[in-house]
């Protein structure tokens, strides 16, 4: 029918045939659909009968189960009860089998069937409980199970089954109604289809007359009207027809094409004249702009062609003023003057054409006048309709800017080199200071262990305090240098905030007590105790604030407050810490200078109290590194409040191990006598440093041998063989072979891959620690060497090496038995730090607090106040080992673990053991302090 080549008779016959085909199709469809509805109806009836039968069987099973369970109550023989038990299991299998058949019949009621299945299992379980109680001759218990479990479960199950039967009947009734509706719909559809076929065939006849006669003539008329309006961009329709209408259409198309070509020639002539005028105007406008404006075109698969360039291009190229500046000459000069620069430019333009991103690059070109200039090329690409890319851009002379940039880069490299040289100098100075300071502090600590008269002991304490003060100044200067060089890195570890605060307070408590100052803290309820961040830097800021407050406060109190900042979120915790004192206050004009380097509120303060003036500067820098800030509020005569904030995260794991102050930390570890017989190789080129390390190691019961450099150390280790030395203390900077090279060489020798090597050096920068670990060292101790740090490192790594003697290790003893109730070594260690009056005061306060907390635990356990128990146990764990109550610390730690695991039964048991251990431990502690001098 495309060309309407059929006769009228053929068209009529075709329409009648179409009507017959439509009628036959409708009849066949109606017959098939009615048969399909009848088949589904029969299936529905069969499904309904099967469902009714299965539901009846289920109800019958329930009745049999009820009868069987009631029969068990009156059975007198055990064999009869056992047989009933087997029957009950068989009934459950049959019940569930019938129920699973109903699943297949009623998939729409799967949820309700799941409830029936679950309830049936409860009922059968209760029935088995009745049978079990009857077997055990517990008639009363069987009746209780029957009345409280089986009968309610059976009643509920019968109700569920009844509801299932009712809903299934309603379901099948609804499906039957759906079948009736489907039959009625099929009849209606058949009737409607018959009428629609008649209407469609009639419409088809009308469409043929309209589509193939009237509309083609109308389209030809419209085309001629558009041509009369000079609209030649048209395609004449019906050119593919074979009749007169097709001939007219093809003739009209030829006439339109001829007119279109004539109009196109006229437009191109006018456009050429217009472009010439625009080019002249553009050259006049761009002559006043800096740089040279240009336009380039890149045809698909062709070369880059310059279409326009403003006259300034000649000046950039260094051409004389009277030279030819035409476009053709410009393109020739630019392309062939510097072919390397041309290739580079073509690459940039090709990349821009591929991605349609702006062109922006700089290149150095030796111009025609012999001057080297830096030319910046900037251009924006535009894709034309023919696929070519047009670039509109500018050439700029950026020679001065490039010279300035290179000068700045050179200055930057010079500054970085100066910073590196300064860092090296600072590290060298630190090493030279720490080496003699190590001897001063180390030998002083060793002398304090000797039995000396009190005046000499006081003088040694003064030397030790002065040396520690000097070490603090060196650390401050080094911290400031690291911050200034951007080399200070923060840790990210889980910690207990309360433990950090308590550690700092314990270090400051003695100085505050000497001045009669009250030192206390308050942590807001919303502040989480377990956080993730750098606890050492938080403690450093807090310690600096408290020491300053103690230094400048003559009477009153010092209060530490911890709260959350308003900007805190669930995963971004902003901690706000403030230290408020009752000192003299700071004048307002001095406040802006407090956090500046080497500044203090009063110049006379340095003479009165000493100090570098770097503490607050370092504190603010550390707070800023932690994402916070620092500041001060002060009123003259009313005291000062120093504060800082830090951005932290919630802890990723529960922090249960309490921290301890550096002075007391060593006392809670394994006693030194477990290291008897172990040998340590001390490697240091300085005799004083070797003497200090040997003295400290001998106090711990260790045997020592020495080497003066890395080569000598390797010789001794190879001669002795693996297993002879338990540990190596290795200096880093030594002649002949340094400690890093010696450790690297040692790790390559058979048998020495796991020998603990601890760096003992004055190089304390972050990169020094990283280099030590990269070389294979296990730990890093900084000089001056402190007993606590040495003991901590040895405790960690000698434990992994294991003692050479046959005595069982401390870990093994702890695993096989509880720790002792009281360990007097801890009190002996405290006596080395405090005078007798102070020690007596600390022991009294500890015993009072410990007994009070321990006695509360059983009552709290009865009240199920687990949160309060957890707080009390946590505080006991943090202080018990410090005063020698080892068993109390062990049990309170176990109580904390049980509370964390929500093991209430274990927690209640441990609460009583903790209370008993506290009573026994305090009695032994008081008896030891009364009858024995810790110094003896």
């Amino acid at each position: 029918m495309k060309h309407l080549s059929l006769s009228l008779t053929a068209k009529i016959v075709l329409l009648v045939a179409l009507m017959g085909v439509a009628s036959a199709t409708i009849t066949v469809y109606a017959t098939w659909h009615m048969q399909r509805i009848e088949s589904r109806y029969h299936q529905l009836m069969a499904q309904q009968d099967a469902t009714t039968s299965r539901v009846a069987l289920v109800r019958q099973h329930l009745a049999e189960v009820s009868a069987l369970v009631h029969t068990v109550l009156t059975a007198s023989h055990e064999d009869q009860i056992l047989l009933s038990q087997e029957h009950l299991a068989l009934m459950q299998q049959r019940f569930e089998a019938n129920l699973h058949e109903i699943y297949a019949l009623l998939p729409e009621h799967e949820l309700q069937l799941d409830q029936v299945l679950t309830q049936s299992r409860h009922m059968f379980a209760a029935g088995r409980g009745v049978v079990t109680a009857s077997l055990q001759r517990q008639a009363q218990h069987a009746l209780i199970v029957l009345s409280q479990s089986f009968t309610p479960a059976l009643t509920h199950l019968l109700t569920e089954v009844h509801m299932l039967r009712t809903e299934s009947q309603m379901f099948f009734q609804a499906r039957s109604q759906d079948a009736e509706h489907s039959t009625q719909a099929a009849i209606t559809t058949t009737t409607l289809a018959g009428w629609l076929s008649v209407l469609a065939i009639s419409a088809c006849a009308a469409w043929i007359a309209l589509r193939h006669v009237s509309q083609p003539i109308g389209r030809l008329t419209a085309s001629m009207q558009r041509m009369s309006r000079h609209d030649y961009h048209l395609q004449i329709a019906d050119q593919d027809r074979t009749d007169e209408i097709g001939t007219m259409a093809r003739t009209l198309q030829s006439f339109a094409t001829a007119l279109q070509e004539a109009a196109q020639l006229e437009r191109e002539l006018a456009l050429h004249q217009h472009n010439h005028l625009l080019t002249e105007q553009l050259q006049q406008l761009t002559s006043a702009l800096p740089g040279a404006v240009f336009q380039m075109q890149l045809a698909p698969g062709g070369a880059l062609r310059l279409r326009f360039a403003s006259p300034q291009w000649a000046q950039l190229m260094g051409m004389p003023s009277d030279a030819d500046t035409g476009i053709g000459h410009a393109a020739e000069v630019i392309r062939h003057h510097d072919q390397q620069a041309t290739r580079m430019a073509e690459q940039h333009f090709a990349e821009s054409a591929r991605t349609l991103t702006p062109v922006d690059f700089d290149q150095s070109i030796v111009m025609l006048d012999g001057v080297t200039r830096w030319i910046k090329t900037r251009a924006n690409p535009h894709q034309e309709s023919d696929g070519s890319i047009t670039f509109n851009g500018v050439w700029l002379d950026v020679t001065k800017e490039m010279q300035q940039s290179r000068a700045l880069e050179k200055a930057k490299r010079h500054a970085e080199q100066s910073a590196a040289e300064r860092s090296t100098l600072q590290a060298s100075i630190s090493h030279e200071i720490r080496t003699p300071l190590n001897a001063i502090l180390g030998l002083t600590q060793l002398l304090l262990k000797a039995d000396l008269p009190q005046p000499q002991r006081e003088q040694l304490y003064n030397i030790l305090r002065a040396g520690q003060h000097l070490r603090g100044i060196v650390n401050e200067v080094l911290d400031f240098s690291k911050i200034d060089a951007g080399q200070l890195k923060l840790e990210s570890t889980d910690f207990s905030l309360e433990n950090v605060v308590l550690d700092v307070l314990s270090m400051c408590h003695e100085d505050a007590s000497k001045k009669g100052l009250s030192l206390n803290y308050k942590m807001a309820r919303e502040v989480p105790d377990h956080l993730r961040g750098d606890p050492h830097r938080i403690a450093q800021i807090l310690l600096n604030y408290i020491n300053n407050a103690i230094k400048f406060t003559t009477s009153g109190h010092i209060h530490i407050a911890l709260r959350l900042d308003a900007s805190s979120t669930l995963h971004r915790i902003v901690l706000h810490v403030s230290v408020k004192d009752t000192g003299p206050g700071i004048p307002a004009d001095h406040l802006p200078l407090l956090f500046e380097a080497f500044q203090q509120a009063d110049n006379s303060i340095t003479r009165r109290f000493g100090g570098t003036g770097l503490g607050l500067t370092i504190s603010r820098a550390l707070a800023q590194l932690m994402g916070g800030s620092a500041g001060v509020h002060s009123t003259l005569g009313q005291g000062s409040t120093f504060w800082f904030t830090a951005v932290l995260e919630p802890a990723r794991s529960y922090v249960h191990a309490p921290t301890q102050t550096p002075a007391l930390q060593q006392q809670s570890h394994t006693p030194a006598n477990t290291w008897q017989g172990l040998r340590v190789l001390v490697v240091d080129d300085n005799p004083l440093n070797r003497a200090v390390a040997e003295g400290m190691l001998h106090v711990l019961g260790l045997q020592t041998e020495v080497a003066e450099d890395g080569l000598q150390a390797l010789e001794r280790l190879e001669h002795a063989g693996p297993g002879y030395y338990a540990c190596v203390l290795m200096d880093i900077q030594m002649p002949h072979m340094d400690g890093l090279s010696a450790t690297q060489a040692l790790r390559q020798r058979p048998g020495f891959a796991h020998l603990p090597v601890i760096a003992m050096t004055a190089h304390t920068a972050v990169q020094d620690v990283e280099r030590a670990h990269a070389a294979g060292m296990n730990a890093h101790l900084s000089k001056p060497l402190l007993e606590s740090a040495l003991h901590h490192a040895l405790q960690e790594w000698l434990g992994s090496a294991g003692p050479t003697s046959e005595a069982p290790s401390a870990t093994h003893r702890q695993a096989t038995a509880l720790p002792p109730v009281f360990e007097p070594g801890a009190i002996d260690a405290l006596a080395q730090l405090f005078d007798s009056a102070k020690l007596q005061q600390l022991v009294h306060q500890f015993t009072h607090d410990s007994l009070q907390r321990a006695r509360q635990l059983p009552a709290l356990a009865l009240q199920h106040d687990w949160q309060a128990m957890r707080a009390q146990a946590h505080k006991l764990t943090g202080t018990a080992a410090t005063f020698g109550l080892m068993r109390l610390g062990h049990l309170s730690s176990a109580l904390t673990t049980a509370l964390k695991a929500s093991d209430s039964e274990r927690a209640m048991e441990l609460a009583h053991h903790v209370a008993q251990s506290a009573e026994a431990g305090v009695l032994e502690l008081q008896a030891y302090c009364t009858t024995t001098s810790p110094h003896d």
Side-chain angles (χ1 to χ4, degrees):
M1 296 177 63
K2 181 176 181 181
H3 302 294
L4 204 61
S5 59
L6 295 177
S7 64
L8 182 60
T9 302
K11 298 173 186 177
I12 293 173
V13 171
L14 179 62
L15 291 174
V16 173
L18 288 174
M19 184 175 293
V21 170
S23 299
T25 302
I26 293 171
T27 302
V28 170
Y29 170 76
T31 303
W32 171 80
H33 193 65
M34 293 297 293
Q35 291 177 350
R36 184 166 172 265
I37 293 173
E38 182 179 4
S39 175
R40 286 193 298 179
Y41 183 76
H42 287 310
Q43 291 177 358
L44 182 64
M45 293 297 101
Q47 183 180 0
Q48 182 178 6
D49 293 341
T51 303
T52 303
S53 174
R54 292 295 180 271
V55 172
L57 285 176
V58 167
R59 291 178 57 85
Q60 181 179 352
H61 288 324
L62 294 178
E64 293 175 355
V65 170
S66 176
L68 177 63
V69 172
H70 284 83
T71 302
V72 168
L73 295 175
T74 59
S76 57
H77 298 289
E78 182 177 350
D79 293 340
Q80 184 177 0
I81 297 175
L82 291 174
L83 183 62
S84 299
Q85 189 176 23
E86 294 177 357
H87 286 171
L88 182 62
L90 182 61
M91 287 180 180
Q92 182 175 3
Q93 293 177 358
R94 292 174 180 174
F95 179 87
E96 293 187 358
N98 286 325
L99 195 62
H100 281 92
E101 292 180 2
I102 298 175
Y103 268 98
L105 294 171
L106 296 174
E108 296 85 354
H109 295 74
E110 183 177 353
L111 181 60
Q112 187 175 0
L113 289 170
D114 288 341
Q115 294 177 354
V116 171
L117 180 61
T118 303
Q119 186 64 29
S120 70
R121 290 175 177 174
H122 289 319
M123 181 202 70
F124 278 108
R128 287 193 295 272
V130 174
V131 174
T132 302
S134 299
L135 283 173
Q136 296 175 355
R137 302 303 179 180
Q138 297 178 356
Q140 185 65 28
H141 180 66
L143 290 174
I144 292 174
V145 174
L146 177 68
S147 61
Q148 295 184 359
S149 298
F150 177 78
T151 301
L154 177 62
T155 303
H156 185 67
L157 184 58
L158 288 171
T159 303
E160 293 286 343
V161 172
H162 177 72
M163 291 177 62
L164 177 64
R165 183 181 65 178
T166 303
E167 292 185 5
S168 65
Q169 292 175 352
M170 294 174 63
F171 169 74
F172 287 116
Q173 183 178 1
R175 295 288 294 271
S176 299
Q177 293 176 356
D178 290 342
E180 294 177 1
H181 293 161
S182 298
T183 304
Q184 186 65 33
I187 297 173
T188 303
T189 302
T190 304
T191 304
L192 181 61
W195 283 104
L196 288 177
S197 62
V198 172
L199 292 175
I201 294 173
S202 301
C204 182
W207 175 81
I208 291 175
L210 178 65
R211 177 71 175 78
H212 292 281
V213 179
S214 178
Q215 287 185 353
I217 295 176
R219 287 194 292 270
L220 289 176
T221 303
S223 298
M224 288 186 289
Q225 289 175 349
R226 289 198 299 273
M227 290 174 60
S228 66
R229 296 192 295 269
H230 305 286
D231 184 6
Y232 310 122
H233 299 281
L234 74 160
Q235 182 71 25
I236 305 300
D238 302 315
Q239 295 186 51
D240 56 344
R241 295 174 64 98
T242 58
D243 54 9
E244 292 79 7
I245 292 178
T247 303
M248 292 173 60
R250 288 189 291 273
T251 303
L252 189 61
Q253 182 66 56
S254 300
F255 184 61
T257 301
L259 292 177
Q260 181 180 0
E261 290 175 353
Q264 179 67 23
L265 291 173
E266 183 180 355
R267 284 196 300 272
E268 288 181 355
L269 178 60
L271 181 61
H272 178 72
Q273 295 174 349
H274 179 68
N275 288 342
H276 182 70
L277 179 61
L278 288 178
T279 301
E280 292 179 351
Q281 293 176 349
L282 184 61
Q283 288 179 345
Q284 294 174 2
L285 290 173
T286 56
S287 62
L289 297 176
V293 180
F294 68 88
Q295 184 181 77
M296 290 188 180
Q297 187 176 40
L298 180 62
L304 192 65
R305 185 169 62 91
L306 181 67
R307 298 180 59 184
F308 170 80
S310 63
Q312 285 85 344
W313 76 270
Q315 182 180 356
L316 292 177
M317 293 294 296
M319 297 180 64
S321 58
D322 57 349
D324 182 10
T325 59
I327 297 300
H329 183 60
E332 189 69 18
V333 171
I334 293 174
R335 179 172 296 278
H336 296 95
H337 171 62
D338 192 335
Q339 294 184 0
Q340 182 178 358
T342 301
R343 286 193 297 270
M344 175 182 174
E346 288 177 346
Q347 292 174 0
H348 284 284
F349 280 104
E351 178 66 19
S352 175
R354 187 179 64 83
T355 61
L356 292 181
T357 55
V359 178
D360 189 353
F361 65 93
D362 301 332
Q363 60 185 148
S364 174
I365 305 177
V366 180
M367 299 303 180
L368 296 177
D369 56 0
V371 178
T372 301
R373 294 187 179 91
W374 280 90
I375 303 299
K376 175 179 284 292
T377 302
R378 286 183 177 177
N380 292 322
H382 174 70
Q383 188 169 13
E384 304 294 344
S385 58
D386 60 355
S388 62
I389 306 296
T390 300
F391 295 93
N392 297 310
V394 61
W395 289 313
L396 298 173
D397 185 355
V398 293
T399 304
K400 292 183 179 179
E401 289 81 353
M402 291 300 295
Q403 291 173 349
Q404 293 174 355
S405 176
R406 291 190 170 187
L408 290 175
E409 183 66 25
K410 182 178 180 181
K412 179 183 177 182
R413 289 197 302 269
H414 180 71
E416 291 176 349
Q417 182 179 0
S418 299
E421 292 174 353
R422 181 176 58 183
S423 178
T424 303
L425 177 61
Q426 290 168 349
S428 177
I429 294 175
S430 170
H431 182 272
E432 295 302 323
I433 294 176
R434 287 177 180 271
T435 298
L437 188 58
N438 178 56
I440 295 172
L441 292 179
L443 294 175
T444 302
Q445 292 176 86
L446 293 176
L447 283 174
L448 283 171
K449 296 183 179 297
D451 188 10
L452 299 174
Q454 188 62 28
Q456 294 180 2
R457 182 175 293 275
E458 290 295 332
Q459 292 173 357
L460 288 174
Y461 272 124
N462 291 334
I463 294 174
L464 182 61
R465 282 192 290 268
Q468 291 173 342
H469 179 66
L470 178 58
R471 179 172 58 88
I473 292 175
V474 172
N475 289 337
E476 281 189 350
V477 173
L478 288 179
D479 278 346
F480 179 74
S481 301
K482 293 176 187 177
I483 293 170
D484 188 44
Q487 297 178 349
L488 187 65
K489 296 182 180 179
L490 297 177
E491 294 182 3
S492 182
T493 183
D494 294 343
F495 66 95
S496 167
L497 180 60
E498 185 175 16
N499 285 340
V500 171
V501 176
L502 291 175
D503 286 348
V504 174
L505 292 181
S506 67
M507 287 187 281
C508 301
H509 188 272
E510 182 179 3
D511 292 336
S513 299
K514 288 180 179 179
K515 299 185 69 173
L517 301 175
S518 172
L519 188 60
N520 56 78
Y521 80 100
K522 180 179 181 182
M523 185 183 298
R525 182 175 299 177
E526 70 273 10
V527 178
D529 182 49
H530 305 120
L531 298 170
R532 186 173 185 84
D534 192 332
H536 303 295
R537 295 304 180 182
I538 292 176
Q540 182 177 349
I541 301 174
L542 186 58
L543 183 62
N544 182 54
Y545 281 2
I546 296 176
N547 282 336
N548 282 346
I550 294 173
K551 184 188 298 184
F552 300 117
T553 304
T554 58
S555 62
H557 64 272
I558 297 171
H559 179 69
I560 298 94
L562 300 95
R563 61 177 177 82
L564 292 185
D565 193 83
S567 60
S568 294
T569 62
L570 182 62
H571 301 290
R572 183 180 181 273
I573 299 171
V574 183
L575 178 66
H576 185 284
V577 183
S578 62
V579 177
K580 182 178 182 181
D581 61 55
T582 55
I586 304 171
D589 58 338
H590 291 170
L591 292 177
L593 302 176
L594 283 179
F595 288 90
E596 299 296 329
F598 308 106
Q599 297 291 333
Q600 292 186 338
D602 187 346
N603 291 333
S604 63
I605 288 177
T606 303
R607 294 189 296 270
R608 293 170 56 196
F609 298 101
T612 62
L614 293 176
L616 294 179
T617 304
I618 295 172
S619 297
R620 169 173 283 181
L622 292 176
Q624 292 172 347
L625 284 175
M626 290 186 287
S629 60
V632 60
H633 306 295
S634 182
T635 302
L636 203 60
Q638 298 181 12
S640 305
T641 301
F642 285 82
W643 60 270
F644 73 93
T645 59
V647 179
L648 306 170
E649 300 176 10
R652 298 176 186 175
S653 60
Y654 182 78
V655 184
H656 63 274
T659 60
Q660 295 171 314
T661 63
L664 304 180
Q665 190 176 18
Q666 59 183 340
Q667 307 307 331
S668 62
H669 294 298
T670 307
N673 55 18
T674 62
W675 295 334
Q676 292 289 343
L678 295 182
R679 298 179 184 86
V680 178
L681 179 63
V682 180
V683 187
D684 198 308
D685 62 316
N686 189 293
L688 286 176
N689 289 340
R690 294 198 301 269
V692 169
E694 284 191 281
M696 292 184 178
L697 294 171
H698 291 164
V699 171
L700 298 175
L702 295 163
Q703 298 179 12
T704 62
E705 295 183 13
V706 298
E708 298 181 2
D709 54 54
L711 284 175
Q712 193 177 115
L714 290 176
E715 293 174 358
R716 287 186 177 275
L717 288 165
E718 288 182 343
H719 179 73
Y724 183 78
Y725 294 107
C727 178
V728 178
L729 293 183
M730 180 81 73
D731 189 18
I732 288 182
Q733 184 173 337
M734 294 181 294
H736 305 303
M737 176 181 281
D738 59 77
L740 299 179
S741 302
T743 304
Q744 291 173 341
L746 179 65
R747 294 307 186 200
Q748 297 175 1
R749 285 164 167 73
F752 292 101
H754 302 291
L755 175 64
V757 179
I758 302 174
M760 181 180 62
T761 175
H763 295 278
T764 60
V766 175
Q767 59 269 25
D768 296 324
V769 179
E770 293 175 349
R771 282 196 295 266
H773 287 291
M777 292 182 168
N778 303 96
H780 188 279
L781 293 176
S782 63
K783 296 177 182 177
L785 194 61
L786 298 178
E787 283 184 295
S788 58
L790 176 62
H791 193 285
H792 180 77
L794 292 175
Q795 177 62 36
E796 180 179 2
W797 294 104
L798 287 187
S800 63
T804 58
S805 63
E806 296 181 357
S809 65
T811 304
H812 178 73
R813 288 197 305 271
Q814 187 177 7
T816 57
L818 287 174
V821 175
F822 172 65
E823 174 58 56
I827 295 299
D828 293 342
L830 288 177
Q832 300 291 333
L833 301 172
F834 303 102
D835 56 33
S836 57
K838 182 63 177 179
L839 179 60
Q840 184 178 2
Q841 178 186 353
L842 291 175
V843 170
H844 175 74
Q845 181 178 355
F846 165 74
T847 55
H848 177 269
D849 293 344
S850 298
L851 288 176
Q852 186 178 10
R853 291 192 176 99
R855 289 167 179 171
Q856 290 178 0
L857 289 175
L860 293 173
L862 292 176
Q863 299 170 9
H864 293 230
D865 192 349
W866 311 123
Q867 184 174 1
M869 287 182 65
R870 193 167 171 177
Q872 298 298 338
H874 178 73
K875 293 176 181 177
L876 283 172
T877 306
T879 56
T882 303
F883 288 86
L885 272 61
M886 311 306 293
R887 183 174 298 180
L888 175 61
H890 174 81
L891 293 174
S892 57
S893 177
L895 176 58
T896 302
T897 304
L899 291 170
K900 176 187 174 184
S902 300
D903 189 349
S904 57
E905 182 177 354
R906 175 64 174 164
M908 295 184 71
E909 177 185 357
L910 285 171
H912 294 281
H913 290 324
V914 169
Q916 296 171 1
S917 177
E919 299 284 353
V922 167
L923 287 177
E924 291 193 22
L925 171 62
Q926 292 174 339
Y928 181 79
C929 293
T930 302
T931 60
T932 306
S933 173
H935 294 284
D936 295 339

